[in-house]
């Protein structure tokens, strides 16, 4: 029996043990399915008309007055190409699928709630038209086990959570690990010492703390989360004295800190909110550009600032309209700028993005809605070399279709 089965069994056994024999189980199914079609524009290029499908299914199970079981399936398919942040940079993808299943048990005692949970998700990414599903370089699976506690008090609500999750890339391995037959044995042995193979695979421990309070007429939420991410098969790049880069026996790890704040106010039928985020990622990993014999320390470190104002209108019949702006600015503390030819400068990379979003839905018959979305993004940077990743671009997409809610 693997760890996933053990965790699921533990949650179910605990629920069964806690539930009184006379309790009447109540199941309330919740479903939301949407089928949309639209286009994606990147700079001056327009993609063909493609589809998108999203599904949310959750049979909410009430075991007793103070116990609930929440199984959830979330799936989506996107046939429109877009820029995704993968492997530390913006990669143009053509199609994507994401599927996740999760199980959460909620036990309520007085004004406290305890929520063990487990989930598994699979992401499939196609970068080219002729790539088969399941063969994508950036396909990955995530297994997560966690626990959340919540305490409701007269002045506000406290939450604390811990999650452990593994991320595995089954198709991603270093080019060096596959190069023994194309370079001489001596060179291969020098380069490959400690280099590793499955360098994208990572293990994560995440702690999060939140506090929500209600100073009329606002709802305010403040939070902090800390993630330690280890890469068990990715060695740290060392600065070579001469020649090719060397790999230390030390393994890469990242530490991510985020501080968040959100304020919301409802003035019916409108809702207004403003979210802010300040993040910092520290990594012990460096980089070496062998084509230009350039060693770059602290390659992945950055400071991240985000601001997201939103306005939504909730109208009769579950009609809905929203407008939002997401602003993000990254300051890399070690990654050096390059000109269009790839020559390095002395400055550090800065990247700024603005994303404007419009969403609307309108009831057309019982349970069915017409839905439309539009997004426009501008990404700009002082980085001019884009042979590997996109830093500067303008992108937009629109989607139109039908949504079913049950």
């Amino acid at each position: 029996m693997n760890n996933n089965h053990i965790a699921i069994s533990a949650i179910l056994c605990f629920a069964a043990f806690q539930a009184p024999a006379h309790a009447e189980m109540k199941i309330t199914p919740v479903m939301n399915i949407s089928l949309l079609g639209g286009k994606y524009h990147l700079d001056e290029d327009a993609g063909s008309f493609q589809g998108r499908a999203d599904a949310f299914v959750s049979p909410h199970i009430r075991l007793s007055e103070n116990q609930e079981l929440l199984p959830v399936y979330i799936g989506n398919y996107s046939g429109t190409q877009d820029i995704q942040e993968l492997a530390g940079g913006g990669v143009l993808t053509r199609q994507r699928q994401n599927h996740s299943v999760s199980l959460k048990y909620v036990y309520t005692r007085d004004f406290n709630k305890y929520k063990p949970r487990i989930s598994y998700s699979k992401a499939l990414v196609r970068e080219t038209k002729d790539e088969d599903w399941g063969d994508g370089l950036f396909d990955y699976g995530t297994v997560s086990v966690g626990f959340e506690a919540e305490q409701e008090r007269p002045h506000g609500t406290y939450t604390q959570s811990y999650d452990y999750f593994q991320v595995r890339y089954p198709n991603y391995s270093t080019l060096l690990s596959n190069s023994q037959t194309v370079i001489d044995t001596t060179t291969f042995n020098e380069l490959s010492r400690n280099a590793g193979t499955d360098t994208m695979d990572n293990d994560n421990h995440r702690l999060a703390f939140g506090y929500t309070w209600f100073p009329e007429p606002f709802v305010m939420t403040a939070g902090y989360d800390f993630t330690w991410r280890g890469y068990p098969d990715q060695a740290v790049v060392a600065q070579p004295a001469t020649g090719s880069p060397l790999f230390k026996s030390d393994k890469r790890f990242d530490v991510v800190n985020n501080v968040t704040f959100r304020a919301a106010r409802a003035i019916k039928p409108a809702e207004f909110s403003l979210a802010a985020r300040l993040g910092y990622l520290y990594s012990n990993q460096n980089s070496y550009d062998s084509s230009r014999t350039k060693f770059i320390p602290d390659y992945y470190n950055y400071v991240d600032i985000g601001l997201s104002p939103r306005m939504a209108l909730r109208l009769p019949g579950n009609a809905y309209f929203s407008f939002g702006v997401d602003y993000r600015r990254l300051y890399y503390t070690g990654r050096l700028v390059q000109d269009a030819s790839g020559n390095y400068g002395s400055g550090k990379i800065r990247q700024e993005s603005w994303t404007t979003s419009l969403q609307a839905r309108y009831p057309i018959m019982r349970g069915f809605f017409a839905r439309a979305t539009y997004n426009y993004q501008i990404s700009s940077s002082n980085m001019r070399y884009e042979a590997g990743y996109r830093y500067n671009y303008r992108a937009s997409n629109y989607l139109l279709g039908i949504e079913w809610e049950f």
Side-chain angles (χ1 to χ4, degrees), residues 197-311:
T197 301
D198 301 315
T199 55
M200 289 283 285
D201 293 356
N202 58 83
D203 302 322
N204 300 259
H205 299 269
R206 182 179 184 270
L207 286 169
F209 306 90
Y211 177 59
T212 301
W213 68 106
F214 309 93
E216 290 289 345
F218 295 96
V219 177
M220 315 282 272
T221 302
Y224 168 74
D225 62 83
F226 167 89
T227 302
W228 184 91
R229 178 179 301 125
Y231 293 79
D233 203 29
Q234 184 178 148
V236 174
V237 176
Q239 183 171 13
T242 58
S244 301
L246 301 174
F247 296 95
K248 300 180 181 179
S249 59
D250 300 338
K251 303 300 182 182
R252 174 184 171 180
F253 70 86
D254 297 351
V255 176
V256 185
N257 292 272
N258 287 297
V259 177
T260 58
F261 176 79
R262 184 177 185 272
R265 180 180 180 181
I267 306 176
K268 292 184 178 182
E271 298 177 359
F272 301 91
S273 67
L274 177 65
R277 182 189 68 257
L278 175 62
Y280 174 64
L281 184 146
Y282 167 80
S283 177
N284 68 336
Q285 184 60 288
N286 309 307
S287 180
Y288 185 80
D289 185 345
S290 58
S291 64
R292 294 173 177 79
T293 62
K294 184 70 173 179
F295 176 77
I296 307 169
D298 304 325
Y299 185 76
Y300 292 94
N301 296 9
Y302 64 75
V303 175
D304 180 15
I305 299 173
L307 196 63
S308 302
R310 295 191 181 281
M311 182 276 292

Side-chain angles (χ1 to χ4, degrees), residues 82-93 96 125 127 137-140 169 200 388-389:
D82 62 354
I83 297 285
Q84 294 286 306
E85 187 174 325
L86 302 169
V91 176
L92 181 62
T93 66
R96 302 188 321 279
V125 179
E127 296 180 77
L137 182 64
F138 293 108
D139 291 358
Y140 64 91
Y169 292 77
M200 289 283 285
Y389 301 115

Side-chain angles (χ1 to χ4, degrees), residues 11-133:
I11 293 175
L12 293 175
C13 289
F14 182 70
F17 177 78
Q18 292 291 327
H22 63 274
E24 293 185 3
M25 181 181 296
K26 181 179 180 181
I27 301 177
T28 305
V30 178
M31 287 182 282
N32 185 288
I33 297 174
S34 63
L35 299 174
L36 308 172
K39 276 190 174 185
Y40 180 85
H41 298 257
L42 179 63
D43 292 329
E44 303 301 324
D45 300 324
S48 59
F49 190 88
Q50 298 290 342
R52 177 184 173 96
D54 293 89
F56 174 92
V57 180
S58 177
H60 175 242
I61 305 172
R62 189 175 184 85
L63 302 173
S64 66
E65 289 186 359
N66 61 346
Q67 296 181 87
E68 302 167 79
L69 206 57
L70 303 173
V72 175
Y73 165 77
I74 299 175
N76 66 70
Y77 161 80
S78 177
T80 57
Q81 64 178 2
D82 62 354
I83 297 285
Q84 294 286 306
E85 187 174 325
L86 302 169
V91 176
L92 181 62
T93 66
R94 291 193 175 272
Q95 293 176 297
R96 302 188 321 279
Q97 291 186 53
N98 290 277
H99 304 275
S100 70
V101 290
S102 63
L103 179 65
K104 179 191 292 186
Y105 169 70
V106 181
Y107 175 69
T108 303
R109 183 175 181 180
D110 297 328
F111 296 100
N112 302 324
K113 291 183 179 180
Y114 307 95
K115 309 172 187 179
R117 57 198 180 195
I118 184 171
S119 67
Y120 173 76
S121 64
K122 183 70 174 180
L124 305 176
V125 179
R126 294 179 65 181
E127 296 180 77
T128 60
K129 292 181 179 180
D130 58 352
E131 191 172 56
D132 293 330
W133 287 114

